[in-house]
Amino acid sequence: GEDVEQSLFLSVREGDSSVINCTYTDSSSTYLYWYKQEPGAGLQLLTYIFSNMDMKQDQRLTVLLNKKDKHLSLRIADTQTGDSAIYFCAESPGDTGRRALTFGSGTRLQVQP
Amino acid sequence: EADIYQTPRYLVIGTGKKITLECSQTMGHDKMYWYQQDPGMELHLIHYSYGVNSTEKGDLSSESTVSRIRTEHFPLTLESARPSHTSQYLCASSEYGETASTDTQYFGPGTRLTVL
């Protein structure tokens, strides 16, 4: 079935760039998303990318999509301690008949001062 | 900022109690969702609604039930809570349609439930 996979943990130093990777299986997904979850909170939409795009940039965030390899990444430039959170990638249902986004298991980003 | 609310934010109750977790949104979204998030962080879809009077079970079997009598309101009920129900419950909503904004889900802050 459809699956979205992420590495569980990433640690970086403040000021460095962070790259969070995600792989997905549904080639019919039209949109791919990145969400951020801070402790004790719900998921906050960070950005999304349409499947016919290779890259999308939004301030410190850069999303890269390799549709051939079904690989999605989120780069955070100049990572700050406030970026420490869990980051989820998600794919849209596409034409699979699924009813909701499929989420990865989340990557915990720890930013060290 | 999405206008979706959940109450209570935290709840600690004893085994056997009946509880209702509230979720409401003011965006007029047709689709609403309930997720259970385990300590390992993964989200599991437990309930889904296309609109008023429409509810479906999600990917993860759950002993909870939901109702959708009004567009803005999607409460989740546990008739008899057990320690295995201890978890974080997240509510979300999205528009109905074919563009990216319709797939985009907006989340409430969550309810952390502890059953003793």
Side-chain angles (χ1 to χ4, degrees), chain B residues 25-40:
Chain B
Q25 49 94 7
T26 58
M27 297 172 284
H29 288 169
D30 285 317
K31 292 182 178 177
M32 295 190 76
Y33 316 78
W34 275 104
Y35 291 87
Q36 187 172 339
Q37 187 175 27
D38 59 27

Side-chain angles (χ1 to χ4, degrees), chain B residues 39-116:
Chain B
M41 308 179 300
E42 192 167 353
L43 290 159
H44 299 286
L45 181 69
I46 53 174
H47 294 286
Y48 173 82
S49 170
Y50 280 106
V52 171
N53 295 325
S54 152
T55 61
E56 293 184 21
K57 289 198 179 293
D59 303 323
L60 179 70
S61 175
S62 173
E63 293 166 341
S64 59
T65 59
V66 291
S67 62
R68 191 87 184 276
I69 299 171
R70 302 198 316 266
T71 298
E72 62 271 21
H73 198 213
F74 192 40
L76 180 145
T77 298
L78 277 165
E79 290 293 333
S80 180
R82 295 206 303 269
S84 60
H85 297 139
T86 294
S87 190
Q88 168 97 332
Y89 292 85
L90 293 170
C91 180
S93 71
S94 65
E95 295 179 68
Y96 184 73
E98 297 180 352
T99 64
S101 63
T102 65
D103 279 340
T104 303
Q105 293 181 14
Y106 297 93
F107 283 81
T111 295
R112 179 160 294 282
L113 172 66
T114 302
V115 183
L116 304 176

Side-chain angles (χ1 to χ4, degrees), chain A residues 62-73:
Chain A
T62 303
V63 178
L64 295 177
L65 176 61
N66 181 330
K67 195 172 181 182
K68 174 176 170 288
D69 294 338
K70 299 191 186 68
H71 182 266
L72 182 73
S73 68

Side-chain angles (χ1 to χ4, degrees), chain A residues 61-103:
Chain A
L61 304 180
T62 303
V63 178
L64 295 177
L65 176 61
N66 181 330
K67 195 172 181 182
K68 174 176 170 288
D69 294 338
K70 299 191 186 68
H71 182 266
L72 182 73
S73 68
L74 174 70
R75 179 177 181 269
I76 306 172
D78 187 25
T79 312
Q80 302 297 306
T81 54
D83 295 324
S84 293
I86 301 170
Y87 291 80
F88 292 89
C89 66
E91 60 173 352
S92 61
D95 58 7
T96 62
R98 282 179 289 127
R99 298 153 295 178
L101 303 182
T102 298
F103 288 87

